[in-house]
Each structure stands twice: as C-alpha cells, then as structure tokens.
Amino acid sequence: MASPLLLCLVLCSYYSIVHGGGDDSFVTVPTSSFEPNPICSEERVHRHGPCAPSPSTDKPTFADTLRRSRARLNYTANVAPTGLGSHGDVKASIPAHLGSSLNSLEYVVTVSFGTPAVSRVVVIDTGSDLSWLQCKPCNPGECTAQKDPLYDPSHSSTYSSVPCVSDPCKKLTADVYSNGCTSNGKQCGFLISYADGTSTSGVYSKDKLTLAPGVVVKNFYFGCGRDKHTVSGLYDGLLGLGRLSESLGAQYGGTVSYCLPAVSSKRGFLALGSGRNPSGFQFTPMGSVPGQPTFATVKLAGITVGGKKLNLRPSAFEGGMIGALRSAFREAMKAYRLVPNDQLDTCYDFKGHNNVVVPKISLTFTGGATINLDVPNGILVNGCLALADSGLDSTTGVLGNVNQRTFEVLFDTSSSKVGFRANAC
C-alpha cells in the first residue's frame, strides 16, 4: 500500500513531513550554492523580488518558520461558494518569487485588483481556497504591517461587497469562513483562522482581478480583510489555490500549475488555464483527504537515497518510513559533522568545506512517476535535511514547498492527476 502525501505550499511551508527509482548518483555542490546572494542588475530588479529593499529587519527565524509549519498542518478547509465563471481557454503565466524581501519564506506573485488596477503582492497557497487582501478602513493595530499601502476598495469602480442575503454568503455561513453579517446585517462577513494563530476577518467582496495584461477575472470573489493577525511577512494578502469552488483555479477555470524557484535570486511562475502541453510531465493519480476537500494528495510508493532504493515493506509507507530515509541519508553524509537543532534532527556543520557531496533523493509515486529532488536546495535547508517525522502514523504526510522546488507541479482536476516536470524554473 502506498502512503498519501498532501501537496502544500504554505501549510507546510519550509519542509516536508513524512510519517512513517531515480538517478543513482551523488552531486558535489559548493557550499555557496545553498542560498546564494542575489545578483542585482537593472533587468532583474523586481519591486518584490530578491533585490528589492525591505522596510523591516524583523525577519522570522528558521525555527519560527518550522513551528508555524507544524501548527498549520492541522488546518482544515471546507466547502465554500460555487464556481463563478470560466476563463480557462486563456492561459495566464505570472512570475513567482521566494518572498525574502517581504520577510517571508513562502512564495509570492504580483497581481492587480480593481479599476483602475492596483498591483498587490500575495502569497500563493494550495492549502486554502478563499483569497484575501488587507483593506481600508482598518483601525490602528488591527492590521499587520505590509510593504504596500492597504487596498482601498472605495477607489475601485468595479468593487462591491457581497450582500448578506446572497447565495455566496449563505454558503460561507455554513463553514469555517463565516463571520456572520456586518454593517447592520447588510454585508457578508468572513473569518479565516489558522492553527498557527494567524487570522484575518472582514467583508466578503468581489472586484476585477488582473492576472496578466489582457487576462482578467471580472468578478473575482475574495475577502477584504480589516482585522489581520499574523506572525510574519509583509505581503498584501493571499491567493487560495485549493480545490474548492471559491479558489482562484475554480473561478478562473482550467488547470493550475506552478514552479517554485530553488533560491531567491531565481524566478518561478504560477500558470492558469487549459491547453497545457503534457510533454515532459510524469503523472500520478490525484487523491483527496476525507473531510478535507481542499487538499490534493499523491501516493508515495518508493524512495531512493544516493542510488540505493530503500528496502521498505508496503506497510512501512503508512508509518515509520522517515526513519529509514534519515538513516540512509546520514550514512551517505557521514563525512560531515552532525550538530544539534531544536526543530530538525539531521543538521550538519559545513564550516571548512568548500564543497559538499550530497546524495540524490528520489521519490516514486503510484503509476511510476519519479522525481529527483533538487540538489541541494530541495533536500537541505539551513544545513538540515528538509524532511521531518510528523509523529503520528495515522496522519497524512505532507510534501512541502522545499521538495517541490524547480519542478512544475500540474493539477489536472478534470483527469484527476498530478504532473511533475523537472527543471522547469
């Protein structure tokens, strides 16, 4: 039996949780390649890219990010509004960046809201459906600092709040996104609370969303947040890429895919729309988690470390698997000194080494799709093995954004399959 793994961007934001054939080689990499400093030039500067100045030095620590990742694994999402039109015959491709300049270790894109269009930088999240922005009016202390001014819906001629007596609001009322009605019962209220303590609430709204020049969702439903509490990040909001009907993918139509760059100096992308060329992809069946329809899952069937396939019983893919992987990785890395870490259990001190020899790790899914994790940035983060034990054999594992780096990950819901294309960004 294969083990199901969630595919997540934000919920498991900086590592993979696994409870429990690819290329059989090692790769020698310079220690400077683990996270190189961005090389800035006029053509590469982006206002929210790695070369952009940050107004704050209060960047979350790696330990903070890991604690947040573990907490948010417990988040569950439920059904929300019905689909609101399709633009799936037009493909949009949006540049994606690691949010280093926004004090975030998550991935962000820049899109525009309203008429006239106002650009906003937002986190992309496959673990939730409802998109949101921080909006005016917001009393001092009720919204978290962000890099851009708060979005002012009063300046948009295409903005409107969702009435409390409407079908979209009625569907919110029945699930975890509901916050009753506001403005004397006239406007639909929303609330999103995450297990890590972050939350946002405000008015459920619709406005024009511009994804790229000429690519527009005229009536895009999202939350206009007026009370947000978060632990880190200077981003303006969030785009929900989950599987439910109020997600960006459902409102736009067609398939959703993305490629996450390995380091902050590189650029990835978020792509939407039909007609994706399947050439170069390896596909595996897409599953789901009972009671959590937001999430897409894939089933892990085999692991190879440094060219050696782990000898695991089928039952091992339901629990205890990480122990075998960790042991094989440590054996392959025995030339380097292990050091203690409060959050992860396999961390190394590479001081004095100009180069590090890293074993390739391959994951094989049902149907035979096999991915070789990026070396070194899909395997090691801050000198630590970017996989961890969830501690619960009965819990679905998570394939986090670190292990997805440099692959285009394609969600084809019409065919119920997930595709992986190597070296896409």
Side-chain angles (χ1 to χ4, degrees):
M1 179 180 290
S3 176
L5 293 176
L6 295 176
L7 285 161
C8 285
L9 294 181
V10 171
L11 296 186
C12 38
S13 60
Y14 227 67
Y15 62 103
S16 288
I17 299 174
V18 182
H19 55 147
D23 194 300
D24 59 347
S25 64
F26 289 68
V27 178
T28 300
V29 294
T31 53
S32 59
S33 70
F34 282 58
E35 176 59 60
N37 293 325
I39 301 173
C40 299
S41 65
E42 184 177 351
E43 65 178 4
R44 296 185 65 180
V45 172
H46 182 275
R47 74 188 190 97
H48 294 304
C51 302
S54 175
S56 171
T57 58
D58 187 24
K59 188 172 182 177
T61 66
F62 184 56
D64 290 338
T65 303
L66 292 181
R67 283 191 289 269
R68 184 182 181 191
S69 296
R70 287 187 181 277
R72 295 195 70 182
L73 178 64
N74 298 319
Y75 169 73
T76 58
N78 296 287
V79 178
T82 56
L84 302 165
S86 174
H87 304 72
D89 56 339
V90 178
K91 185 181 177 184
S93 183
I94 312 163
H97 298 272
L98 185 59
S100 303
S101 70
L102 300 171
N103 293 355
S104 174
L105 297 177
E106 294 154 357
Y107 286 87
V108 299
V109 297
T110 299
V111 295
S112 296
F113 282 78
T115 306
V118 178
S119 61
R120 303 282 88 175
V121 59
V122 290
V123 170
I124 52 176
D125 182 13
T126 59
S128 61
D129 303 284
L130 182 62
S131 302
W132 53 264
L133 292 177
Q134 286 198 124
C135 297
K136 287 185 176 181
C138 190
N139 295 328
E142 292 184 351
C143 281
T144 304
Q146 62 182 50
K147 197 161 189 175
D148 294 313
L150 297 178
Y151 183 67
D152 191 343
S154 68
H155 291 172
S156 174
S157 62
T158 49
Y159 172 86
S160 64
S161 59
V162 174
C164 198
V165 286
S166 65
D167 288 341
C169 190
K170 289 177 182 177
K171 293 186 178 183
L172 281 184
T173 303
D175 68 12
V176 295
Y177 298 138
S178 170
N179 199 27
C181 296
T182 63
S183 300
N184 297 319
K186 295 181 180 179
Q187 297 177 334
C188 183
F190 82 94
L191 169 66
I192 303 177
S193 297
Y194 301 98
D196 64 350
T198 62
S199 67
T200 183
S201 62
V203 177
Y204 195 42
S205 309
K206 63 179 179 178
D207 206 340
K208 183 174 76 172
L209 172 66
T210 302
L211 298 169
V215 184
V216 172
V217 182
K218 291 184 178 179
N219 293 303
F220 181 68
Y221 283 68
F222 68 102
C224 213
R226 293 172 179 167
D227 185 0
K228 174 174 174 262
H229 300 283
T230 185
V231 295
S232 63
L234 296 170
Y235 45 83
D236 303 328
L238 178 146
L239 281 183
L241 301 179
R243 301 176 67 193
L244 298 185
S245 52
E246 90 282 8
S247 69
L248 172 60
Q251 294 192 51
Y252 185 84
T255 61
V256 174
S257 71
Y258 53 78
C259 186
L260 308 177
V263 293
S264 59
S265 55
K266 302 292 184 180
R267 186 174 76 173
F269 59 84
L270 168 66
L272 301 155
S274 60
R276 191 73 184 90
N277 186 345
S279 176
F281 283 92
Q282 297 187 66
F283 288 96
T284 186
M286 179 191 298
S288 59
V289 179
Q292 300 182 21
T294 290
F295 303 114
T297 65
V298 292
K299 289 188 175 180
L300 187 61
I303 301 173
T304 301
V305 178
K308 296 180 180 179
K309 187 174 181 179
L310 300 189
N311 185 20
L312 298 172
R313 301 183 308 275
S315 60
F317 289 105
E318 295 183 337
M321 174 177 56
I322 188 63
L325 190 157
R326 179 175 54 236
S327 295
F329 187 81
R330 287 184 174 184
E331 175 64 23
M333 296 283 289
K334 61 185 178 182
Y336 308 103
R337 185 170 68 90
L338 280 167
V339 293
N341 184 283
D342 291 338
Q343 298 298 318
L344 295 174
D345 59 14
T346 303
C347 299
Y348 295 92
D349 180 4
F350 295 129
K351 291 179 181 178
H353 295 276
N354 293 325
N355 298 294
V356 176
V357 180
V358 181
K360 285 190 174 182
I361 295 179
S362 301
L363 306 179
T364 299
F365 304 100
T366 54
T370 299
I371 61 174
N372 291 306
L373 304 186
D374 179 75
V375 182
N377 294 299
I379 295 175
L380 289 164
V381 175
N382 280 26
C384 298
L385 177 64
L387 295 106
D389 195 332
S390 70
L392 298 171
D393 287 350
S394 60
T395 304
T396 301
V398 177
L399 187 66
N401 68 20
V402 166
N403 296 140
Q404 296 178 52
R405 287 173 170 178
T406 74
F407 288 92
E408 181 176 3
V409 183
L410 172 67
F411 296 85
D412 186 348
T413 55
S414 63
S415 301
S416 296
K417 59 185 181 181
V418 175
F420 299 93
R421 182 171 69 92
N423 303 316
C425 63

